[in-house]
Every structure is written in structure tokens, then in C-alpha cells.
Amino acid sequence: MSLIITEECINCDVCEPVCPNEAIYMGPEIFEINPDLCTECVGHFDEPQCAEICPVECIPKDPDNEETHDELMLKYKKLTEQL
């Protein structure tokens, strides 16, 4: 499951630079997460770095993009092969 940034986002910009997959970007009003690039940091870290650093805790799992740990690991492997 990828993560999502909710409307509580204050645009503080601490999440974008810590994303190892560069999945976070500035949307029209708040930061957003590209679900095709988000692996919840599987393969990189034990915990999602953006959620760990977010001061307003507005980065939960996205219920519309459910993925298992194995699926996230496969996505991580495909993304890192492209680098």
C-alpha cells in the first residue's frame, strides 16, 4: 500500500527530500505522493521516512492503493533496476 498526504499538510517540505524513491512532489495545493513510486520505504528503511518526519502526522497508508510487503519489495526491485 502506498502512502497518501492528507489535507492537513502544512507544506513544510520536510517529507520530499527524505523520500528515497522521489515519490513526493508539490501538487496544486499540497504535497502529493505518486503511488507508482511509493514503496513505503520497503527496501530502503524499516519505516516510511516521510511519515516518521512529518510534524503534523498527515501521511497515512492510502486505502485505495493496498499492497502487501512482498508487492512493495517487488516494486522496490523494479524501481532500483531502472536507476
Side-chain angles (χ1 to χ4, degrees):
M1 170 181 304
S2 67
L3 302 173
I4 188 170
I5 297 176
T6 65
E7 292 178 3
E8 286 79 24
C9 176
I10 59 172
N11 292 327
C12 65
D13 190 31
V14 297
C15 60
E16 183 182 27
V18 299
C19 180
N21 297 325
E22 299 180 358
I24 300 174
Y25 61 95
M26 186 64 201
E29 295 184 25
I30 61 172
F31 281 90
E32 297 181 14
I33 298 177
N34 180 338
D36 295 331
L37 298 177
C38 180
T39 62
E40 292 183 42
C41 289
V42 168
H44 295 284
F45 301 100
D46 292 335
E47 298 293 328
Q49 298 300 288
C50 60
E52 288 286 310
I53 200 167
C54 180
V56 293
E57 299 179 5
C58 67
I59 308 177
K61 292 185 178 194
D62 182 356
D64 294 331
N65 288 298
E66 293 188 34
E67 295 172 283
T68 66
H69 185 273
D70 290 341
E71 290 171 324
L72 292 169
M73 182 58 80
L74 181 61
K75 187 192 299 187
Y76 160 77
K77 288 179 180 178
K78 287 180 180 177
L79 289 171
T80 54
E81 285 175 3
Q82 296 173 5
L83 298 177

